[in-house]
Amino acid sequence: MNEQTHINSQKNFETGDIILKQGDKGDVAYIIEEGEIEVLLEGADGTSQLVAKRGPGTIIGEMAIIDDQSRIATVRATQPCKMLEISRKDFARRLNSADPVLQMITKVILTRYRDTLARVGVLGESPTYPPPEMMEREAVGHENAVHKIKTANDFKQAMEQEQLQLHYQPILSFKTKKVVGFEALMRWPQEDGSMISPAVFIPVAEESGLIIDASKWALKEACLTLKRLERDLAAAGQQPESPLFMSVNFSALDFAEENFTDTLYDTLSTTDIKPQQIRLEITESLLMQDPEQAKNTLNMCKQAGLKISIDDFGTGYSSLSYLHSFPIDTIKIDRSFVCRMVDEANSKALVNSLIALATSLNMATVAEGVENEAEAELLTNMGCDMVQGFFYCKPMDETRLSEWLKQQ
Ligand code: C2E
Ligand code: CA
Ligand code: CA
């Protein structure tokens, strides 16, 4: 489905139609293109009071799509109307990808406006109405927001100052015990030499929308590294049997970008990397957020020759048979199953059947987070194709990786 279809769909209303109903939950706002409407406040006694009339170029229903509260008034068409619909889902996507300060201010303005309406009696007077400061803190989750805004601003600055790094963890074939590819993992070094974990900054980058630029950077950097590694290995006379691949992690926001695939193809061509060498790592939850859109994007990627991996497999709620409707090449079995496998018969049976089912569906399997020989042996016997874990190698920067590869 094209993004545009659910962003700006057109709606027509006849004279007298109720467009929004006071008290209802609101999933859409409308921009009036043609026609005229009236805004009515309905009293508990059945009376209704005209509070405004609006015409072309104005917007109605915008409050509910920001904070998901009920409609405060009824809107009725007084002429035939042509409207452009803005869905709450689309608005949330735009707001969530906006600067965190912008997000906070938007929500605060709305909270204060609702508070004012309540105080002047428009929303029904209530003597126990909470003070606006309290509502605002609740609305924006004050402390949390401040922390997130700080982290997001620092992250943005780190990106601008080119401080982000990628580390690479080798992925090996179980059969040959040789390196077949790598996973690129983002690192944010601090002034004191420590690293902030991606488990901390990736969610902030996702919420603030900064992940989109970070992912673009990561893809390009990973491609450039892969190219340099190939050259190094060739110069050392150690060309691999088949081209090495690079796995890059992507988030739902990346997939929601209209020009996601164009940027991807551009990067591949400017860095001279074959599409077959790049694996997009995405989670089940990304697929479930907007399955139709994900399927379209993945189909385009697949047609261009890219490979698709499902990350952290088993931690989501989808079944492999459902996932089969997406063009998936590889599933990565989550570390939480791998690490319990040796001691727990249930986890072992689960991993075993996952591998068997994936294999029968022509998907390759990667075991994540393998830390010891016992796990590696079990997985080999189960027919797992590839492995990634501290037992073989920790993620490392390009320089160390290049040295490590030459010693293999
Ligand atoms: P992930 O995609 O599941 O990446 C694998 C994580 O497992 C990495 O953690 C890796 O260092 C760790 N790992 C690998 N082998 C072992 C092992 O044997 N034992 C243990 N205990 N851990 C192992 P890392 O680098 O801290 O990344 C955490 C998560 O952050 C990633 O999980 C991924 O979800 C996210 N992330 C990292 N880089 C990126 C990125 O560039 N973009 C996006 N969207 N997410 C990223
Ligand atoms: Ca991953
Ligand atoms: Ca994973």
Side-chain angles (χ1 to χ4, degrees), residues 250-265:
F250 288 95
S251 301
L253 269 190
D254 298 314
F255 265 57
E257 274 279 274
E258 243 168 272
N259 56 3
F260 175 75
T261 47
D262 294 335
T263 313
L264 200 61
Y265 306 154

Side-chain angles (χ1 to χ4, degrees), residues 169 183 185-187 198 249 251 311-312 335 369 371 389-390 395:
Q169 188 175 30
E183 176 173 5
L185 295 158
M186 216 180 277
R187 297 289 178 259
N249 292 284
S251 301
D311 206 354
D312 308 337
R335 190 175 81 84
E371 292 189 351
F390 293 172

